[in-house]
Amino acid sequence: MVTASRVRPPYSLAQLVAYALKLGSLGFGGPVALVGYMHRDLVEGRAWFTEADYREGLTLAQLMPGPLAAQLAIYLGFVHYRVLGATLVGVAFVVPSFVMVVALGWAYRLYQGLDWMQAAFYGVGAAVIGIIAGSAFKLTRKTLGPSPLLWGIYLVVAGVTVVTQTEHVALFVAAGIIVWLVRTQPWRRPIPSRLASLTVPMTALAPAAATVGSGGLIQLLLFFAKAGAFVFGSGLAIIPFLYGGVVHEHHWLTDRQFLDAVAVAMITPGPVVITVSFIGFLVAGFPGAAVAAVGTFMPCYLFTIVPAPYFKKHGKRPGILAIVDGVTAAAIGAITGAVIVLGRRSVVDVPTAAICVATFGILWYTKRMPEPILVLIAGIIGFFVFPHVGR
């Protein structure tokens, strides 16, 4: 069980909150980079946390639904300062990027009709496709391994996403259950053991049953809460789900606007999943942005503080690991399918194809090129090559 340290922590809660605020304001590079910064600064540099604290938080963040970096930050806040620490650290980590995204949303709504902005996003959209494609490729190689079962789930979900142009949450649940059945073979154990192994995973998947309400901010809140409950590991996992709901189901945004929302998240620090606030702002102004952020991050917060006290005892159970592997394979398949669906709308000619391929290649060969810089460069290129800019 995770308990507050009996020894006075080597830092104050105010210091940890200040660090989270700084990381949320200046932390570029996506979830993998952000968790790396936390290890460098808080474990190796300042020794505020032990290696065991960090690894436990990282493992929990990988197992539970929710954006990886945000969950790790929340867990570290919980280690010594419990719920208050988790809450303040989580808010401090998210607020800076939320403010930036809302400001960009305001500018986007004000100037969207100008040729220069259309031209910039012409290049940015193609770069975003290259970034997502690179992330999907790396996640596929790193996560699926040699398992035919996981590869089969990945290919099926990717194919369904391409054909239907939306994400089906039921496939995520089914993938987790299938891998759990194959690996644990519950029919070989007594009934009580089977039920016990299902308790935690099914609780984690419960938000999938939420149904979107009708009308206004409540509908936004429930939709984004459902989306937030299925972000495993990387904020990019939420993109296929958002695309299907925001563009096809509710028709809140066009394809172009949705890609622009993803691009905005790429050029701002903090969690990539903050793109939900940009979407919420375009749909319903500042209240929509706030509701989208709360809806998306609330599951992440609850999936961290609720299981944290029991994680050491139950976190490595084979049944839980099996379900997470299945859901993760499905999520990566959905991301891959989304690359194809969105690419058809953003890579439309030779210049955009060149920007997309160049972005993918640079990220693949340089490894450390900051994604926001690539997006900004693509925007500048788009301004000069966009075919419809009046001069």
Side-chain angles (χ1 to χ4, degrees):
M1 178 179 290
V2 177
T3 58
S5 174
R6 294 184 180 181
V7 180
R8 182 179 178 84
Y11 63 92
S12 67
L13 179 56
Q15 287 177 305
L16 185 60
V17 170
Y19 173 81
L21 194 64
K22 179 181 177 181
L23 185 62
S25 302
L26 303 174
F28 287 96
V32 175
L34 292 172
V35 299
Y37 298 151
M38 283 185 252
H39 185 272
R40 179 196 66 191
D41 298 336
L42 302 180
V43 179
E44 296 178 345
R46 306 178 189 184
W48 287 357
F49 298 94
T50 66
E51 190 71 35
D53 290 331
Y54 179 86
R55 288 182 180 177
E56 287 166 10
L58 186 60
T59 302
L60 177 62
Q62 290 173 321
L63 285 174
M64 292 289 104
L68 182 67
Q71 277 191 297
L72 177 58
I74 292 169
Y75 183 88
L76 293 178
F78 183 90
V79 170
H80 293 117
Y81 291 98
R82 311 298 291 195
V83 173
L84 177 63
T87 304
L88 295 180
V89 169
V91 171
F93 181 64
V94 172
V95 162
S97 56
F98 172 80
V99 172
M100 295 178 202
V101 165
V102 168
L104 289 170
W106 174 82
Y108 183 87
R109 289 181 65 177
L110 189 62
Y111 298 113
Q112 186 180 8
L114 298 182
D115 285 345
W116 68 266
M117 181 164 278
Q118 294 179 19
F121 277 99
Y122 164 82
V124 164
V128 169
I129 295 300
I131 291 171
I132 300 175
S135 298
F137 187 70
K138 292 176 183 177
L139 284 170
T140 301
R141 292 186 63 193
K142 180 180 179 180
T143 306
L144 301 186
S147 170
L149 177 60
L150 295 183
W151 275 99
I153 291 171
Y154 164 84
L155 293 173
V156 168
V157 175
V160 171
T161 302
V162 171
V163 172
T164 64
Q165 299 189 17
T166 189
E167 180 184 271
H168 299 274
V169 172
L171 291 179
F172 280 53
V173 178
I177 293 174
I178 288 171
V179 175
W180 174 77
L181 288 172
V182 171
R183 290 187 181 174
T184 66
Q185 299 183 8
W187 54 86
R188 295 178 179 271
R189 301 197 305 274
I191 291 178
S193 176
R194 302 180 208 173
L195 295 177
S197 64
L198 270 174
T199 300
V200 175
M202 289 302 100
T203 301
L205 293 172
T211 56
V212 177
S214 60
L217 296 179
I218 294 178
Q219 186 180 34
L220 277 175
L221 177 65
L222 293 177
F223 172 77
F224 284 107
K226 184 178 179 182
F230 277 86
V231 185
F232 275 83
S234 169
L236 293 175
I238 203 174
I239 290 175
F241 183 91
L242 292 180
Y243 177 76
V246 169
V247 177
H248 286 284
E249 182 181 351
H250 297 291
H251 307 289
W252 287 330
L253 301 183
T254 64
D255 287 314
R256 179 76 266 165
Q257 289 173 321
F258 180 80
L259 272 175
D260 293 347
V262 177
V264 165
M266 295 289 183
I267 63 175
T268 52
V272 174
V273 76
I274 200 63
T275 187
V276 299
S277 292
F278 187 87
I279 294 171
F281 188 88
L282 295 187
V283 175
F286 182 81
V291 161
V294 170
T296 302
F297 286 98
M298 185 57 68
C300 155
Y301 171 77
L302 294 176
F303 282 137
T304 302
I305 66 168
V306 172
Y310 311 98
F311 180 65
K312 282 188 175 181
K313 183 176 180 181
H314 299 290
K316 296 179 176 61
R317 297 182 66 169
I320 297 176
L321 295 174
I323 285 188
V324 170
D325 283 348
V327 173
T328 301
I332 297 171
I335 294 172
T336 303
V339 170
I340 298 172
V341 173
L342 295 172
R344 292 172 180 170
R345 293 161 173 77
S346 196
V347 181
V348 294
D349 51 25
V350 173
T352 50
I355 292 172
C356 179
V357 172
T359 301
F360 181 93
I362 291 171
L363 288 175
W364 179 254
Y365 286 107
T366 63
K367 307 295 184 184
R368 295 185 178 181
M369 173 64 74
E371 294 172 353
I373 292 179
L374 290 177
V375 172
L376 291 174
I377 291 173
I380 295 172
I381 294 173
F383 175 80
F384 288 106
V385 304
F386 186 52
H388 305 300
V389 176
R391 290 180 168 82

